[in-house]
Amino acid sequence: MSRETPGTQGLVLNEPLVFEQSVPGRRAYSLPETGVPEKSLEDIIPADFLRQEVEGLPEVSEVDVVRHYTRLSQWNYGIDLGFYPLGSCTMKYNPKINEDLAGLPGLCQVHPYQGERLSQGILRLMYELQQMLAEIVGLKGVSLQPSAGAHGELTGMLMIRAFHAERGAPRKKVIIPDSAHGTNPASSALCNYQPVSLKSDERGLISSEALAAAMDQEVAALMLTNPNTLGLFERDIVKLARIVHSKGGLVYCDGANLNALVGITRFGDMGVDVVHINLHKTFSTPHGGGGPGAGPIAVNENLIPYLPVPTVEKEADRYVLCYDHPKSIGRVRAFYGSLGVLLRAYAYILSMGPEGVRRASEVAVINANYIRAKLKKSYHLPYDRICKHECVFSDRLQNLHGVQTVHIAKRLMDYGFHPPTIYFPLIVRGALMIEPTETESKETLDRFVSAMEAIARESQEDPDLVLQAPHKTKAARLDETQAARSPHLTWTDVG
């Protein structure tokens, strides 16, 4: 193990709850007496609204507070501390300048009720972002409203349903490959469609023959992820789209893995009719822990009439919110979208430029393939092909010694790395999905590869060392079932 590996040495300080550090009378502030005559609270607030006293708050000094929260912060692992092989799916590094730009007072203090005349700047920004996203994915119409990827899926499927309904029948089924994201079946079912699973072939891709056999007049759409969750590009996508269109169906693409394609190829050119774009994954927003997100959708010309209202449009030299779309599926959220995320995406795309966003995707793909090539000697690679932004291994070789994916992930913490995505995609038994993203250097990737190779050797020579990991973290072996099902989220004084 390299001595330079971060996070594997040093102190891990214990820290009691802040309530347990309370000492009666201790204060975190000391202010001089005010020169203004004091008024009692009863003179300002009706007595009915006043509590007699506040019980249970900790009484601590300023240094107690500072050290308490600083110590707690050291128990966390974040993208600003080190490498996250979870990638854009959960957390990739985002340039700080985009945070600064999104925080400018003129942008972050804009109010949705201030009216179009006073909102020309922000409407222009939203209009231009729509244009940029349409160009990136090669489709004509964009709505920025959906709050996240799954919300974008739901919006897109509602539009597909409206499209078919206007033609006399909404149809009944949606075909979803087993390599698609797990939210796809739920989004289809919420639109009253029956999800039909399509098994991937030996390449890890959709077979055109299998799709043709499953496709009929009852299928509303093919809902695929490209690149799929194996990190593989659906190379027959144009042929697949023709098969679907020949039966009157539409092609929905889950664009969550767009990080591999920006500036290189476009969904519209592949025959895709609808795609959602996870701005928070590809275009610079920290989103670990469930938010914030933004999942704009882009559609072809045939589906533009069904876009959610209001749409942001330009009339002469003015930008307007247009509600005059009688075929629209209506609003899908309050106001106009997750504006903070839209601002970061706008800043990211402008600052990178066309060449920059393409280069980011190219480096993300190169980094993933570097890891794939380096680790396939040590870990089973179920689909040994050039991948896109992520590669998927399994624990088959380590399983011969009793070591499973979860143990590999926990041992990786001892080497100073956050674990990768594990046990997903479901079509790979004991999956280890590794997505390095474009921001990691060769030196970082080499340290990660060295750690993974060391764990592979340990699994063979000293499996107990891996089975009992992690050994250097604050907490070693949690009861993850109890932590998930019976979390203790509040403090109770039992003393």
Side-chain angles (χ1 to χ4, degrees):
M1 181 174 61
S2 169
R3 289 187 176 181
E4 288 75 31
T5 301
T8 57
Q9 298 184 36
L11 297 171
V12 179
L13 299 170
N14 289 317
E15 183 63 17
L17 298 173
V18 70
F19 298 96
E20 296 169 338
Q21 301 179 53
S22 179
V23 175
R26 187 164 291 174
R27 294 288 181 269
Y29 63 90
S30 176
L31 300 175
E33 290 190 8
T34 176
V36 179
E38 288 190 33
K39 279 193 171 184
S40 68
L41 286 177
E42 288 77 5
D43 292 338
I44 303 171
I45 302 172
D48 292 346
F49 296 106
L50 289 176
R51 297 178 62 168
Q52 294 306 306
E53 59 181 313
V54 179
E55 297 180 349
L57 289 182
E59 298 179 74
V60 289
S61 70
E62 178 178 310
V63 70
D64 291 337
V65 174
V66 170
R67 287 176 177 168
H68 174 70
Y69 288 104
T70 302
R71 286 168 177 158
L72 289 183
S73 74
Q74 293 178 327
W75 294 4
N76 290 330
Y77 188 91
I79 191 63
D80 289 345
L81 283 173
F83 178 40
Y84 257 67
L86 288 163
S88 68
C89 188
T90 301
M91 180 59 71
K92 76 169 187 177
Y93 182 80
N94 301 288
K96 300 305 180 208
I97 189 172
N98 301 321
E99 297 297 315
D100 293 340
L101 294 173
L104 291 174
L107 295 175
C108 69
Q109 294 178 9
V110 67
H111 195 282
Y113 282 143
Q114 69 187 33
E116 286 179 4
R117 187 175 65 83
L118 298 175
S119 304
Q120 285 300 296
I122 199 69
L123 290 177
R124 174 185 170 183
L125 186 153
M126 296 170 71
Y127 179 83
E128 292 181 353
L129 180 58
Q130 289 177 175
Q131 303 296 103
M132 289 190 280
L133 295 177
E135 175 64 22
I136 286 171
V137 298
L139 291 164
K140 295 294 184 182
V142 172
S143 170
L144 302 175
Q145 283 192 31
S147 301
H151 194 198
E153 291 176 28
L154 177 63
T155 304
M157 295 310 295
L158 287 171
M159 294 175 65
I160 287 174
R161 188 171 187 83
F163 172 87
H164 287 302
E166 190 187 5
R167 283 151 182 78
R171 302 194 172 198
K172 296 179 180 178
K173 300 182 291 186
V174 171
I175 297 176
I176 304 174
D178 59 3
S179 59
H181 278 119
T183 47
N184 293 179
S187 299
S188 300
L190 283 171
C191 296
N192 207 27
Y193 283 122
Q194 174 192 347
V196 177
S197 180
L198 189 67
K199 187 176 175 57
S200 301
D201 64 13
E202 67 282 356
R203 303 170 300 164
L205 303 176
I206 304 172
S207 155
S208 56
E209 291 78 13
L211 177 63
M215 192 67 206
D216 58 32
Q217 305 287 347
E218 294 295 332
V219 174
L222 167 67
M223 195 175 190
L224 81 167
T225 301
N226 198 19
N228 65 27
T229 55
L230 294 167
L232 304 178
F233 186 80
E234 294 287 355
R235 58 193 304 175
D236 298 328
I237 179 65
V238 174
K239 187 175 182 180
L240 299 175
R242 288 198 190 113
I243 293 171
V244 175
H245 291 155
S246 70
K247 299 288 185 181
L250 298 176
V251 178
Y252 184 102
C253 186
D254 183 322
N257 291 340
L258 179 62
N259 206 48
L261 306 180
V262 181
I264 300 172
T265 188
R266 308 191 305 172
F267 294 116
D269 300 334
M270 304 174 200
V272 169
D273 301 292
V274 194
V275 62
H276 79 261
I277 308 162
N278 298 57
L279 294 188
H280 47 286
K281 294 177 67 171
T282 305
F283 299 119
S284 184
T285 289
H287 62 282
I297 55 168
V299 300
N300 64 15
E301 287 181 334
N302 293 333
L303 290 167
I304 286 178
Y306 309 99
L307 282 170
V309 290
T311 56
V312 183
E313 300 179 8
K314 186 178 183 183
E315 295 179 352
D317 59 348
R318 287 180 52 79
Y319 299 90
V320 299
L321 294 167
C322 181
Y323 293 83
D324 187 19
H325 295 286
K327 296 180 182 178
S328 167
I329 62 169
R331 279 186 175 275
V332 296
R333 63 156 293 159
F335 304 119
Y336 317 113
S338 300
L339 191 56
V341 183
L342 303 183
L343 291 171
R344 290 172 175 85
Y346 182 83
Y348 178 86
I349 296 171
L350 278 186
S351 63
M352 296 282 282
E355 293 303 318
V357 293
R358 178 189 174 103
R359 185 61 180 156
S361 288
E362 290 173 342
V363 176
V365 171
I366 290 170
N367 281 355
N369 279 285
Y370 184 75
I371 287 179
R372 179 188 61 81
K374 285 282 187 179
L375 288 183
K376 70 177 184 179
K377 304 169 191 170
S378 306
Y379 292 86
H380 173 240
L381 184 63
Y383 298 95
D384 189 4
R385 295 180 45 213
I386 297 293
C387 62
K388 293 303 173 188
H389 63 306
E390 60 195 11
C391 53
V392 178
F393 298 94
S394 85
D395 62 0
R396 180 183 293 182
L397 301 180
Q398 289 68 41
N399 228 326
L400 299 173
H401 310 284
V403 172
Q404 301 177 8
T405 291
V406 65
H407 305 123
I408 297 167
K410 289 185 178 297
R411 180 60 176 153
L412 198 53
M413 297 182 208
D414 289 334
Y415 286 92
F417 294 102
H418 192 285
T421 300
I422 60 174
Y423 298 113
F424 185 83
L426 300 178
I427 57 175
V428 173
R429 185 181 178 87
L432 281 155
M433 175 193 280
I434 298 171
E435 183 183 357
T437 79
E438 67 276 9
T439 55
E440 301 305 329
S441 66
K442 180 176 181 298
E443 291 76 17
T444 297
L445 299 185
D446 283 339
R447 285 197 294 269
F448 175 76
V449 167
S450 296
M452 289 291 288
E453 289 173 338
I455 295 170
R457 287 194 301 273
E458 292 168 355
S459 299
Q460 186 173 0
E461 299 168 359
D462 187 7
D464 278 346
L465 180 64
V466 183
L467 293 171
Q468 300 304 318
H471 303 279
K472 298 180 179 179
T473 54
K474 174 63 182 170
R477 305 292 292 185
L478 300 176
D479 186 333
E480 296 180 7
T481 301
Q482 284 299 309
R485 296 180 179 175
S486 303
H488 292 177
L489 302 179
T490 57
W491 175 75
T492 303
D493 186 3
V494 295

PDB file of all heavy atoms in Angstrom, residues 153-169:
ATOM      1  N   GLU A 153     -38.357  10.831 -16.230  1.00  0.00           N
ATOM      2  CA  GLU A 153     -38.920   9.615 -16.808  1.00  0.00           C
ATOM      3  C   GLU A 153     -40.445   9.668 -16.801  1.00  0.00           C
ATOM      4  O   GLU A 153     -41.107   9.380 -17.804  1.00  0.00           O
ATOM      5  CB  GLU A 153     -38.475   8.394 -16.004  1.00  0.00           C
ATOM      6  CG  GLU A 153     -37.013   8.044 -16.109  1.00  0.00           C
ATOM      7  CD  GLU A 153     -36.683   6.872 -15.190  1.00  0.00           C
ATOM      8  OE1 GLU A 153     -37.584   6.053 -14.921  1.00  0.00           O
ATOM      9  OE2 GLU A 153     -35.536   6.784 -14.721  1.00  0.00           O
ATOM     10  N   LEU A 154     -40.991  10.017 -15.641  1.00  0.00           N
ATOM     11  CA  LEU A 154     -42.452  10.082 -15.515  1.00  0.00           C
ATOM     12  C   LEU A 154     -43.026  11.097 -16.497  1.00  0.00           C
ATOM     13  O   LEU A 154     -44.027  10.817 -17.179  1.00  0.00           O
ATOM     14  CB  LEU A 154     -42.834  10.468 -14.079  1.00  0.00           C
ATOM     15  CG  LEU A 154     -44.324  10.648 -13.805  1.00  0.00           C
ATOM     16  CD1 LEU A 154     -45.070   9.336 -14.016  1.00  0.00           C
ATOM     17  CD2 LEU A 154     -44.561  11.171 -12.391  1.00  0.00           C
ATOM     18  N   THR A 155     -42.393  12.252 -16.606  1.00  0.00           N
ATOM     19  CA  THR A 155     -42.869  13.282 -17.529  1.00  0.00           C
ATOM     20  C   THR A 155     -42.840  12.774 -18.966  1.00  0.00           C
ATOM     21  O   THR A 155     -43.797  12.952 -19.723  1.00  0.00           O
ATOM     22  CB  THR A 155     -41.997  14.546 -17.391  1.00  0.00           C
ATOM     23  OG1 THR A 155     -42.015  14.981 -16.037  1.00  0.00           O
ATOM     24  CG2 THR A 155     -42.508  15.656 -18.293  1.00  0.00           C
ATOM     25  N   GLY A 156     -41.755  12.142 -19.342  1.00  0.00           N
ATOM     26  CA  GLY A 156     -41.627  11.623 -20.696  1.00  0.00           C
ATOM     27  C   GLY A 156     -42.670  10.553 -20.998  1.00  0.00           C
ATOM     28  O   GLY A 156     -43.265  10.539 -22.089  1.00  0.00           O
ATOM     29  N   MET A 157     -42.907   9.662 -20.029  1.00  0.00           N
ATOM     30  CA  MET A 157     -43.893   8.603 -20.271  1.00  0.00           C
ATOM     31  C   MET A 157     -45.307   9.159 -20.323  1.00  0.00           C
ATOM     32  O   MET A 157     -46.157   8.659 -21.070  1.00  0.00           O
ATOM     33  CB  MET A 157     -43.773   7.534 -19.180  1.00  0.00           C
ATOM     34  CG  MET A 157     -42.449   6.772 -19.168  1.00  0.00           C
ATOM     35  SD  MET A 157     -41.944   6.122 -20.782  1.00  0.00           S
ATOM     36  CE  MET A 157     -43.245   4.937 -21.087  1.00  0.00           C
ATOM     37  N   LEU A 158     -45.585  10.207 -19.547  1.00  0.00           N
ATOM     38  CA  LEU A 158     -46.905  10.855 -19.639  1.00  0.00           C
ATOM     39  C   LEU A 158     -47.103  11.456 -21.031  1.00  0.00           C
ATOM     40  O   LEU A 158     -48.205  11.410 -21.594  1.00  0.00           O
ATOM     41  CB  LEU A 158     -47.018  11.948 -18.569  1.00  0.00           C
ATOM     42  CG  LEU A 158     -47.192  11.469 -17.124  1.00  0.00           C
ATOM     43  CD1 LEU A 158     -47.077  12.648 -16.154  1.00  0.00           C
ATOM     44  CD2 LEU A 158     -48.550  10.774 -16.938  1.00  0.00           C
ATOM     45  N   MET A 159     -46.034  12.012 -21.597  1.00  0.00           N
ATOM     46  CA  MET A 159     -46.131  12.581 -22.942  1.00  0.00           C
ATOM     47  C   MET A 159     -46.336  11.487 -23.980  1.00  0.00           C
ATOM     48  O   MET A 159     -47.106  11.657 -24.935  1.00  0.00           O
ATOM     49  CB  MET A 159     -44.859  13.393 -23.242  1.00  0.00           C
ATOM     50  CG  MET A 159     -44.716  14.615 -22.364  1.00  0.00           C
ATOM     51  SD  MET A 159     -43.150  15.474 -22.639  1.00  0.00           S
ATOM     52  CE  MET A 159     -43.374  16.017 -24.320  1.00  0.00           C
ATOM     53  N   ILE A 160     -45.653  10.366 -23.813  1.00  0.00           N
ATOM     54  CA  ILE A 160     -45.834   9.249 -24.735  1.00  0.00           C
ATOM     55  C   ILE A 160     -47.276   8.741 -24.676  1.00  0.00           C
ATOM     56  O   ILE A 160     -47.913   8.464 -25.700  1.00  0.00           O
ATOM     57  CB  ILE A 160     -44.833   8.127 -24.407  1.00  0.00           C
ATOM     58  CG1 ILE A 160     -43.421   8.560 -24.838  1.00  0.00           C
ATOM     59  CG2 ILE A 160     -45.223   6.812 -25.055  1.00  0.00           C
ATOM     60  CD1 ILE A 160     -42.320   7.606 -24.435  1.00  0.00           C
ATOM     61  N   ARG A 161     -47.803   8.663 -23.464  1.00  0.00           N
ATOM     62  CA  ARG A 161     -49.195   8.220 -23.315  1.00  0.00           C
ATOM     63  C   ARG A 161     -50.158   9.203 -23.996  1.00  0.00           C
ATOM     64  O   ARG A 161     -51.102   8.792 -24.680  1.00  0.00           O
ATOM     65  CB  ARG A 161     -49.539   8.073 -21.834  1.00  0.00           C
ATOM     66  CG  ARG A 161     -50.888   7.443 -21.609  1.00  0.00           C
ATOM     67  CD  ARG A 161     -51.151   7.091 -20.159  1.00  0.00           C
ATOM     68  NE  ARG A 161     -52.399   6.343 -20.055  1.00  0.00           N
ATOM     69  CZ  ARG A 161     -52.503   5.054 -20.257  1.00  0.00           C
ATOM     70  NH1 ARG A 161     -51.435   4.347 -20.527  1.00  0.00           N
ATOM     71  NH2 ARG A 161     -53.675   4.435 -20.167  1.00  0.00           N
ATOM     72  N   ALA A 162     -49.906  10.506 -23.814  1.00  0.00           N
ATOM     73  CA  ALA A 162     -50.766  11.511 -24.444  1.00  0.00           C
ATOM     74  C   ALA A 162     -50.665  11.423 -25.970  1.00  0.00           C
ATOM     75  O   ALA A 162     -51.672  11.576 -26.679  1.00  0.00           O
ATOM     76  CB  ALA A 162     -50.363  12.905 -23.960  1.00  0.00           C
ATOM     77  N   PHE A 163     -49.463  11.163 -26.464  1.00  0.00           N
ATOM     78  CA  PHE A 163     -49.240  11.046 -27.919  1.00  0.00           C
ATOM     79  C   PHE A 163     -50.080   9.900 -28.485  1.00  0.00           C
ATOM     80  O   PHE A 163     -50.805  10.062 -29.481  1.00  0.00           O
ATOM     81  CB  PHE A 163     -47.744  10.808 -28.176  1.00  0.00           C
ATOM     82  CG  PHE A 163     -47.398  10.474 -29.598  1.00  0.00           C
ATOM     83  CD1 PHE A 163     -47.154  11.479 -30.520  1.00  0.00           C
ATOM     84  CD2 PHE A 163     -47.305   9.143 -30.016  1.00  0.00           C
ATOM     85  CE1 PHE A 163     -46.826  11.165 -31.846  1.00  0.00           C
ATOM     86  CE2 PHE A 163     -46.977   8.831 -31.330  1.00  0.00           C
ATOM     87  CZ  PHE A 163     -46.742   9.845 -32.242  1.00  0.00           C
ATOM     88  N   HIS A 164     -50.000   8.732 -27.863  1.00  0.00           N
ATOM     89  CA  HIS A 164     -50.741   7.585 -28.375  1.00  0.00           C
ATOM     90  C   HIS A 164     -52.243   7.762 -28.170  1.00  0.00           C
ATOM     91  O   HIS A 164     -53.047   7.364 -29.034  1.00  0.00           O
ATOM     92  CB  HIS A 164     -50.270   6.309 -27.688  1.00  0.00           C
ATOM     93  CG  HIS A 164     -48.914   5.842 -28.128  1.00  0.00           C
ATOM     94  ND1 HIS A 164     -48.613   5.544 -29.434  1.00  0.00           N
ATOM     95  CD2 HIS A 164     -47.769   5.628 -27.429  1.00  0.00           C
ATOM     96  CE1 HIS A 164     -47.342   5.160 -29.536  1.00  0.00           C
ATOM     97  NE2 HIS A 164     -46.812   5.202 -28.320  1.00  0.00           N
ATOM     98  N   ALA A 165     -52.626   8.346 -27.037  1.00  0.00           N
ATOM     99  CA  ALA A 165     -54.054   8.525 -26.747  1.00  0.00           C
ATOM    100  C   ALA A 165     -54.706   9.406 -27.808  1.00  0.00           C
ATOM    101  O   ALA A 165     -55.845   9.153 -28.237  1.00  0.00           O
ATOM    102  CB  ALA A 165     -54.241   9.120 -25.360  1.00  0.00           C
ATOM    103  N   GLU A 166     -54.006  10.438 -28.241  1.00  0.00           N
ATOM    104  CA  GLU A 166     -54.580  11.323 -29.256  1.00  0.00           C
ATOM    105  C   GLU A 166     -54.783  10.589 -30.583  1.00  0.00           C
ATOM    106  O   GLU A 166     -55.645  10.962 -31.393  1.00  0.00           O
ATOM    107  CB  GLU A 166     -53.681  12.542 -29.462  1.00  0.00           C
ATOM    108  CG  GLU A 166     -54.356  13.599 -30.331  1.00  0.00           C
ATOM    109  CD  GLU A 166     -53.431  14.732 -30.681  1.00  0.00           C
ATOM    110  OE1 GLU A 166     -52.241  14.672 -30.338  1.00  0.00           O
ATOM    111  OE2 GLU A 166     -53.910  15.685 -31.310  1.00  0.00           O
ATOM    112  N   ARG A 167     -54.011   9.522 -30.787  1.00  0.00           N
ATOM    113  CA  ARG A 167     -54.143   8.755 -32.021  1.00  0.00           C
ATOM    114  C   ARG A 167     -55.106   7.577 -31.876  1.00  0.00           C
ATOM    115  O   ARG A 167     -55.164   6.689 -32.739  1.00  0.00           O
ATOM    116  CB  ARG A 167     -52.758   8.265 -32.475  1.00  0.00           C
ATOM    117  CG  ARG A 167     -51.975   9.405 -33.123  1.00  0.00           C
ATOM    118  CD  ARG A 167     -50.499   9.267 -32.961  1.00  0.00           C
ATOM    119  NE  ARG A 167     -49.834  10.430 -33.558  1.00  0.00           N
ATOM    120  CZ  ARG A 167     -49.749  11.626 -32.978  1.00  0.00           C
ATOM    121  NH1 ARG A 167     -50.290  11.812 -31.766  1.00  0.00           N
ATOM    122  NH2 ARG A 167     -49.164  12.631 -33.578  1.00  0.00           N
ATOM    123  N   GLY A 168     -55.833   7.549 -30.761  1.00  0.00           N
ATOM    124  CA  GLY A 168     -56.901   6.576 -30.625  1.00  0.00           C
ATOM    125  C   GLY A 168     -56.693   5.491 -29.596  1.00  0.00           C
ATOM    126  O   GLY A 168     -57.655   4.845 -29.194  1.00  0.00           O
ATOM    127  N   ALA A 169     -55.421   5.270 -29.161  1.00  0.00           N
ATOM    128  CA  ALA A 169     -55.173   4.220 -28.168  1.00  0.00           C
ATOM    129  C   ALA A 169     -53.851   4.494 -27.461  1.00  0.00           C
ATOM    130  O   ALA A 169     -52.820   4.656 -28.128  1.00  0.00           O
ATOM    131  CB  ALA A 169     -55.125   2.856 -28.829  1.00  0.00           C
TER     132      ALA A 169
END
